[in-house]
Structure formats: structure tokens, C-alpha cells
């Protein structure tokens, strides 16, 4: 019955509302609850909010991070083509977009560690973080490990990466993927990022990629739209605590990166502004 109704709807031209209530109109046009539309409008204004909503619907692209420890972008494109999968390079030498061909993560190339899945924003995060060979790096909320893997590849598998998470099964996931990718510098271990551990060394660079409301990934996870966002205030307190604790491990003149996959200024700018206000030794 549901399939029948949806097929009928798909064949019918839909007339979108055009009322004096822009929040309502955008809510219908982009299948998004009014409270979330209001949130985006309050943070970004109507024009930017609509751009965000447009980007939140439609087919989800598949991006791959080329494992530069094992292959190159051009070589991987050719090997995927031999598997019946079409991919194109996005020009930076490390990122491919799958254009056609199906289950790329069931191929032997995946099993042999020639690539891992990683969205563009996640890759951009690490490109800006710019870890170097022989750095000591912390990834304090690491699972499932994609950013740690990209860092290891940028570091040419030389140095130390400490990848922490709260749960044993997530540490196993990181270790298994690191082995598949041929990465040996990741030290994955259980660690509570909110509690200081004086047994750990100081780090040149620390990635604090915190738990968040996920408002930047609703195209991939549309169920996020229907959450009650009353929990964001508690999240912000946790995010600040994690950032504050992470900063204690940093060497002088080191780099601390704070990141989320959210689009809430309360979770992003406001957390950073509070941190800078209370930590005058950081810029």
C-alpha cells in the first residue's frame, strides 16, 4: 500500500506553498520540521538557511579517501574500473567520488586497504589540521577512526597517533581498519576524553572532534531532523569540557583543532569563543 501511494505521489506534480510564512514554506519544500528551519534561520538568516536545507536532501554521494601508503588516485581509478566501478578524482590527489558501479565496499580493493570512506568535510578538516611526519597526535574522540587514518597517511605512517574512545568494540573497529589499511602508528586505546590522564605524553597536535547534534549530516542521516533538540545545551557543556581537557595535553606552540559535524553556532562558534575567553594562552 505504501509503495502504491508513493508511486502515485511521484507521478503527481506537487504544488509547494507560497505563503507569508517563510518558515512553513521551507519546512514543506525541504521536508524539515519547522523548529529546525527556525534554528537555521536564527543562526544564518533566510538565504543561507535555504541553501543549507537544499543541501540536506537528495542522493548522497560516496567519497573515498585514497590510501596513499598503498596507491595513487590514478591507479585506484583504474583498479576500480577493472571492478566495474567508475570513480573520478576531485583534483587534490587523495579524494575520489564514486560515479557508478555499486557496492564499492565489498570489493577486494577495499578489503586490501586501498581506500576508506570519508566525506569531503571530514577530509578538509584533516587537510587544515595538517599533521606532519614524526608528530605526536591525539584524536580524543576517534571512532570509527576515519580522521586518524587520514592523518596517518598524511604523516606517511611515521610518528605517533593516539586514538581514544570510550568503548572496547570501537577500539577494535579502529585497530581492524588500521591493519587493513597498513597503518602501524595508531595506538588505539580506551580513554575518557573528559578526564585528564597524567600518564599520557604531550602532543604536537590534538583533534577534538566532539559528539554533536549532527545537523551537518542530515542528508546522510535524515532521522536527525526529528530529534528533540532540547539536549543541545547539555551537549555544549560536554563539548566544552572535552575541549578544555584536550587542551591540557598540548605542547607549547602546538595546534588544537575543535570540530563538529553540526551546523549550530551554539555548538561551534560559542564553544570556541568561550574557550578563548577563558584560555588567554591560546589564539
Amino acid at each position: 500500500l505504501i509503495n502504491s501511494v508513493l508511486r502515485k505521489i511521484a507521478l503527481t506534480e506537487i504544488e509547494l506553498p507560497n505563503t507569508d510564512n517563510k518558515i512553513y514554506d521551507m519546512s514543506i519544500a525541504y521536508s524539515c520540521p519547522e523548529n529546525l528551519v527556525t534554528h537555521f534561520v536564527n543562526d544564518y538568516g533566510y538565504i543561507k538557511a535555504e541553501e543549507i536545507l537544499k543541501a540536506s536532501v537528495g542522493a548522497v554521494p560516496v567519497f573515498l579517501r585514497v590510501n596513499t601508503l598503498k596507491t595513487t588516485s590514478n591507479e585506484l581509478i583504474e583498479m576500480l574500473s577493472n571492478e566495474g566501478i567508475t570513480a573520478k578524482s576531485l583534483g587534490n590527489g587523495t579524494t575520489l567520488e564514486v560515479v557508478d558501479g555499486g557496492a564499492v565496499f565489498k570489493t577486494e580493493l577495499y578489503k586490501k586497504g586501498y581506500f576508506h570512506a570519508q566525506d569531503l568535510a571530514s577530509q578538509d578538516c584533516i587537510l587544515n589540521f595538517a599533521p606532519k611526519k614524526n608528530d605526536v597526535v591525539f584524536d580524543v574522540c576517534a571512532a570509527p577512526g576515519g580522521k586518524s587514518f587520514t592523518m596517518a597517511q598524511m604523516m606517511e605512517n611515521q610518528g605517533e597517533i593516539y586514538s581514544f574512545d570510550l568503548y572496547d568494540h570501537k577500539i577494535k573497529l579502529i585497530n581492524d581498519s588500521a591493519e587493513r589499511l597498513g597503518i602501524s602508528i595508531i595506538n588505539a586505546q580506551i580513554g575518557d576524553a573528559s578526564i585528564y590522564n597524567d600518564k599520557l605524553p604531550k602532543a604536537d597536535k590534538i583533534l577534538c572532534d566532539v559528539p554533536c547534534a549532527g545537523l551537518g549530516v542530515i542528508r546522510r542521516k535524515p532521522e536527525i531532523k526529528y530529534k528533540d533538540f532540547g539536549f543541545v545545551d547539555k551537549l555544549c557543556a560536554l563539548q566544552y569540557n572535552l575541549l578544555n581537557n584536550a587542551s591540557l595535553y598540548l605542547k607549547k606552540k602546538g595546534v588544537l583543532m575543535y570540530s563538529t559535524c553540526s551546523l549550530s553556532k551554539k555548538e561551534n562558534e560559542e564553544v570556541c569563543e568561550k574557550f578563548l575567553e577563558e584560555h588567554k594562552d591560546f589564539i
Side-chain angles (χ1 to χ4, degrees):
L1 174 62
I2 292 171
N3 282 333
S4 176
V5 170
L6 290 175
R7 279 197 297 270
K8 185 71 72 174
I9 290 172
L11 295 171
T12 305
E13 186 173 347
I14 297 173
E15 187 176 334
L16 295 174
N18 183 17
T19 70
D20 292 332
N21 185 345
K22 290 184 179 179
I23 299 292
Y24 171 77
D25 291 353
M26 286 194 287
S27 172
I28 299 300
Y30 302 107
S31 189
C32 189
E34 288 185 55
N35 67 327
L36 185 52
V37 177
T38 301
H39 172 87
F40 287 140
V41 168
N42 288 341
D43 269 1
Y44 296 102
Y46 283 99
I47 294 174
K48 188 69 175 177
E50 186 159 17
E51 290 175 1
I52 290 169
L53 291 168
K54 281 181 181 177
S56 74
V57 294
V60 181
V62 176
F63 296 108
L64 311 178
R65 208 291 175 176
V66 179
N67 184 358
T68 50
L69 301 176
K70 293 190 174 187
T71 189
T72 66
S73 178
N74 289 337
E75 288 173 349
L76 184 54
I77 288 172
E78 185 174 348
M79 288 187 286
L80 287 168
S81 178
N82 293 336
E83 298 269 1
I85 294 167
T86 304
K88 66 178 181 180
S89 173
L90 296 189
N92 60 11
T94 58
T95 309
L96 302 184
E97 181 179 358
V98 177
V99 178
D100 189 34
V104 67
F105 301 110
K106 292 184 178 180
T107 62
E108 284 299 311
L109 295 171
Y110 175 76
K111 294 173 186 175
K112 291 178 180 178
Y114 285 99
F115 60 88
H116 67 272
Q118 191 170 37
D119 277 340
L120 290 182
S122 181
Q123 295 192 45
D124 283 345
C125 173
I126 302 306
L127 288 172
N128 283 283
F129 190 45
K132 297 180 178 62
K133 282 195 298 186
N134 302 316
D135 276 349
V136 176
V137 181
F138 284 11
D139 186 350
V140 299
C141 302
K147 293 185 177 70
S148 287
F149 307 146
T150 297
M151 288 191 283
Q153 291 159 19
M154 291 180 68
M155 293 163 66
E156 299 178 30
N157 206 31
Q158 297 178 55
E160 294 179 273
I161 299 174
Y162 291 81
S163 301
F164 301 100
D165 203 86
L166 282 172
Y167 304 106
D168 186 65
H169 70 278
K170 291 189 175 182
I171 296 302
K172 183 179 184 305
L173 182 65
I174 294 171
N175 282 328
D176 288 348
S177 294
E179 182 177 357
R180 179 179 63 81
L181 294 163
I183 294 168
S184 60
I185 64 169
I186 289 178
N187 180 349
Q189 55 184 276
I190 293 175
D192 187 338
S194 67
I195 300 173
Y196 183 71
N197 181 352
D198 60 8
K199 294 181 175 60
L200 293 171
K202 294 290 185 179
D204 298 289
K205 295 194 172 184
I206 297 173
L207 174 63
C208 193
D209 186 49
V210 297
C212 66
L215 299 181
V217 293
I218 54 179
R219 178 167 61 171
R220 193 172 294 283
K221 300 177 181 178
E223 69 278 5
I224 288 173
K225 291 190 287 189
Y226 305 102
K227 286 183 178 179
D228 176 3
F229 289 101
F231 70 94
V232 167
D233 286 340
K234 290 183 180 179
L235 261 183
C236 293
L238 171 63
Q239 290 161 350
Y240 182 78
N241 187 25
L242 297 179
L243 180 61
N244 187 53
N245 191 61
S247 72
L248 301 176
Y249 297 106
L250 194 66
K251 292 179 183 179
K252 188 174 182 180
K253 296 186 179 180
V255 174
L256 172 64
M257 174 169 272
Y258 173 81
S259 70
T260 78
C261 58
S262 196
L263 287 172
S264 167
K265 290 192 174 181
K266 185 177 285 189
E267 295 180 83
N268 293 318
E269 287 89 339
E270 291 183 20
V271 170
C272 294
E273 288 163 3
K274 179 181 178 183
F275 180 85
L276 290 172
E277 180 62 32
E278 297 186 4
H279 297 77
K280 299 298 184 182
D281 50 338
F282 280 78
I283 56 171

